[in-house]
Structure formats: structure tokens, C-alpha cells
Amino acid sequence: MLALSLLPACANDHFFPRLKPLFAGLDESRVPAAARAALARAKVDFQLARHGETPRYALHVGTLPCTHSQVFQGRGYQVILVNKDLVNTTETGPEIVLDSSITQGKPYHYDEIDRLGQ
């Protein structure tokens, strides 16, 4: 019975182990040489956020209203440690937004937010 109760969780894209590459869908070959250092810092910060740790390079700039989500701003990116406890759902995990100075196009959004509840 216990195994059957875990099946819905295994269908979640963010269930351990995370098998997708970091920043899936981002074409890193299009990142200009001048922005590669910023991308490297963004990756380090996101990896730390994955494990519930404070980003190393991005600076804390505030908390999102009505949540416990912490926002960190880096050079060319923003990391959000999402922590929303809503009425019927809970959302936790890291989110990152890379701006156009890194992507050379539209901003890139990636998250590993676990959503529990309805």
C-alpha cells in the first residue's frame, strides 16, 4: 500500500532524484563570453538554493508579500526561495530568472518548486 501512495509523487518532475539537467531548455551556447561568469554564479546560487541554503553571490533584497519567500538579486539573475503556505496548497523550492543580459533574448525562468495539496 505504501508503494502505491508514492506513485503520484514519483510522477512529479521535481521528485528526487532530479533527472533533468540544470536549467533545462537554456541554450548555453548562445550565452556570450561576457555573461558566462554571471551564469556560473547563477548556477552555484541555484544549486545552494536547491539544498535550502542561502545563495553565495546574490544579495538578499526582500521577502515576497504574503509569503515567506526570500528574494536574492545577482548580477543578471534573481533567485527566489519559494515558501508559500496557502489555504489548500504548499509551494516550496527554488526558482531562478535569468535576464536578457545573460540569455541574449527573452528572460529565462526555471523552477524546482514542489506543490503539495489540491
Side-chain angles (χ1 to χ4, degrees):
M1 288 302 271
L2 180 61
L4 291 176
S5 67
L6 290 176
L7 286 178
C10 292
N12 184 335
D13 287 342
H14 306 303
F15 184 77
F16 182 81
R18 299 181 194 279
L19 301 176
K20 295 190 306 187
L22 186 59
F23 300 171
L26 176 66
D27 183 1
E28 292 187 34
S29 67
R30 298 192 65 201
V31 174
R36 290 190 193 273
L39 179 60
R41 287 190 297 271
K43 285 182 171 184
V44 168
D45 283 347
F46 189 82
Q47 292 283 20
L48 289 168
R50 265 182 166 173
H51 299 289
E53 297 179 35
T54 302
R56 180 178 300 152
Y57 300 106
L59 300 175
H60 184 263
V61 294
T63 303
L64 294 179
C66 302
T67 73
H68 299 288
S69 301
Q70 301 294 312
V71 180
F72 296 84
Q73 185 66 49
R75 186 174 279 165
Y77 65 95
Q78 185 176 67
V79 175
I80 303 167
L81 301 178
V82 176
N83 184 3
K84 295 179 186 176
D85 191 11
L86 307 171
V87 174
N88 293 324
T89 61
T90 300
E91 298 179 356
T92 58
E95 176 180 4
I96 191 163
V97 179
L98 304 175
D99 68 30
S100 60
S101 68
I102 293 177
T103 65
Q104 296 301 294
K106 294 180 181 179
Y108 172 81
H109 297 262
Y110 179 78
D111 73 68
E112 292 183 355
I113 297 172
D114 292 317
R115 292 168 178 87
L116 303 172
Q118 294 177 333

